[in-house]
Each structure stands twice: as C-alpha cells, then as structure tokens.
C-alpha cells in the first residue's frame, strides 16, 4: 500500500485528536523531506531534501526536544540527503537507516 493511500485512509477515518500523529511533507523543491511526530515526543525524519534550510527548519519547529528516534535516508541522491548533516549536528538521533549506496 502506498503512503498516499495510507494518508487517504487516515483522512477519511475519525477526526484528528491532539495526541494523534503529525506528518509534515516539507516543500523542499526537488527531493523529499518528511517529518513525523507522535505522542510522547517521538519523532522520525524520512529523507532530508536537497539543501539544509527547509528540512532542518521543519525539524527545529516540530521536534523541540531535539530527539529523533529514526532518520531514514532512502538513497544517497543529493535531493534526499542534503540536510542530513545539519540535522545530525543539531539533534540526538537514535537510529539511522541508509542503504549505504555511494553517490
């Protein structure tokens, strides 16, 4: 099932509550950056966009604790890992998943 299908199913179900998950797809132009926050200050970042500013700023806004449970980098293209260094420098990241492909 695709991410868009999951989001559509979630949107069609019960109204969102304050304790529900927050998913922000950050406008980074070409590339991808998704920041997910769930209750009890748990956070995940999926890809980090091309440049550092937009994704990093979204993480600053949505994860004030500066603790990220999971950083997933889908692959090493620059439009998916651009802000990874800045996010790693500013946050305590517990787990990083990356395929290790050199680009």
């Amino acid at each position: 099932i695709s991410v868009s299908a999951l989001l559509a199913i979630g949107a069609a179900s019960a109204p969102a509550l304050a304790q529900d998950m927050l998913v922000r797809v950050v406008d980074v132009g070409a590339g991808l950056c998704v920041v997910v926050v769930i209750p009890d200050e748990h956070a995940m970042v999926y890809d980090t966009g091309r440049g550092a500013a937009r994704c990093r700023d979204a993480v600053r806004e949505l994860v004030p604790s500066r603790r990220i449970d999971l950083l997933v980098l889908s692959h090493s293209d620059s439009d998916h890992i651009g802000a990874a260094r800045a996010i790693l420098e500013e946050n305590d990241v517990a787990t990083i998943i990356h395929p290790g492909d050199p680009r």
Side-chain angles (χ1 to χ4, degrees), residues 44-94:
M44 175 186 126
V45 177
Y46 184 88
D47 284 346
T48 64
R50 180 175 298 279
R54 288 183 180 173
C55 191
R56 182 204 59 218
D57 291 350
V59 170
R60 284 178 178 171
E61 175 188 347
L62 300 172
V63 189
S65 68
R66 301 289 180 247
R67 289 189 312 263
I68 298 172
D69 297 286
L70 179 62
L71 172 62
V72 177
L73 301 171
S74 63
H75 59 285
S76 295
D77 287 355
S78 63
D79 59 338
H80 292 263
I81 65 166
R85 181 174 302 216
I87 289 169
L88 288 168
E89 288 173 351
E90 294 185 3
N91 298 276
D92 177 23
V93 179

Side-chain angles (χ1 to χ4, degrees), residues 3 8 17 31 80 100:
V3 173
L17 302 173
H80 292 263

Side-chain angles (χ1 to χ4, degrees), residues 14-55:
L17 302 173
Q19 69 272 15
D20 286 348
M21 173 175 62
L22 168 70
V23 177
R24 180 176 295 173
V25 179
V26 181
D27 180 4
V28 294
L32 182 65
C33 170
V34 180
V35 181
V36 179
V37 180
I38 63 171
D40 297 327
E41 297 185 10
H42 292 285
M44 175 186 126
V45 177
Y46 184 88
D47 284 346
T48 64
R50 180 175 298 279
R54 288 183 180 173
C55 191

